[in-house]
Amino acid sequence: MGSLPPSLDLPSPPLGKPPHLQLLSETTLLNLFKSQQNHLNYFFQNLDFSQALSFTQTLLNSRGTIFFSGVGKSGFVASKISQTLVSLDIRSSFLSPLDALHGDIGALSSADVLVLFSKSGSTEELLRLLPCARAKGVYLISVTSVSNNALANACDMNVHLPLERELCPFDLAPVTSTAIQMVFGDTVAIALMGARNLTKEQYAANHPAGRIGKSLIFKVKDVMKKKDELPICKEGDLIMEQLVELSSKGCGCLLVIDDEYHLLGTFTDGDLRRTLIKASGEAIFKLRVGDMCNREPRTIGPDAMAVEAMQKMESPPSPVQFLPVIDHQNVLIGIITLHGLVSAGL
């Protein structure tokens, strides 16, 4: 292969380090993690739990929407906490302080709560928002880390999040303050979840695309193959005449039924291999499916949870790749395969 033209020469990977950078040692990194741990411990040891309880109870008693707001990194945290509450079936939304002053404040009502996150409590955008929000009759709560600040003094309630210092060597970059904001908000969210008695099924209903949601929502009938997709045959059919049916439906088996669609057994790829080993000569052409099928296959009902089907496939004495789906009268109505479960995200 010829060399690349000069215009297409690829740069060489950088070697060494730029002259202004220092080598990062494991000890340095470990000390930073320990320092952050100590800063977080300071928060836990000094948090006023009576304030935390009052805050949580206020959110729990809210008749309207719980709005969160903040600027910069605190804004990201406020938005994330709001999204967590929504996922827990609690009415919540993030309100941008800038957009609020250009029309979005119309979303607020006297039944709502507005939670304002700010480390310093002196964020200009939030202070400008305050009188407008109060005019809407909303209940105002500030969550800050500096004592006796303007935001706290202007709100109906304040929660003080004790901050020893930022991990940043200049005590400027908001890396510890945002961490305790997140810990506080998410812990309160789980407290609300428990107080509202949110069930696993309700949680799953809000996460239908995730694996957790699918495992709690999807039933066998939602992911099974049915009707023309089923590889069916009769017990009197010759094995050699059913090879196309065995391979064409992508299930790795034949479902053996009678005239009323009652399941009599299954015949798998493995059964075929064992048949070919045992039979000799022309005898193989005379063997019928009923002679070699499994008369006691594992089965499952259509209303069972899909995750239960996967557990049943993987259970001892040996795993299987499929389960026939039958009703209470042993009538075949479908088949659920391991491939189908995996494709469904389970």
Side-chain angles (χ1 to χ4, degrees), residues 39 55 65 94 121 128 141 150 158 169 179 189 218 222 225 274 342:
H39 298 332
F55 175 78
T65 300
F94 176 76
R128 288 200 300 268
I141 305 177
N158 175 251
F218 281 17
D222 298 321
K225 293 186 176 185
R274 285 185 287 273
V342 172

Side-chain angles (χ1 to χ4, degrees), residues 58 86 134 144 148 182 205 213 220 261 289 292-293 334 337:
T58 300
V86 170
R134 187 171 292 284
T144 61
N148 195 30
M182 189 75 79
V220 168
Y261 251 72
V289 176
M292 303 299 294
C293 72
T337 65

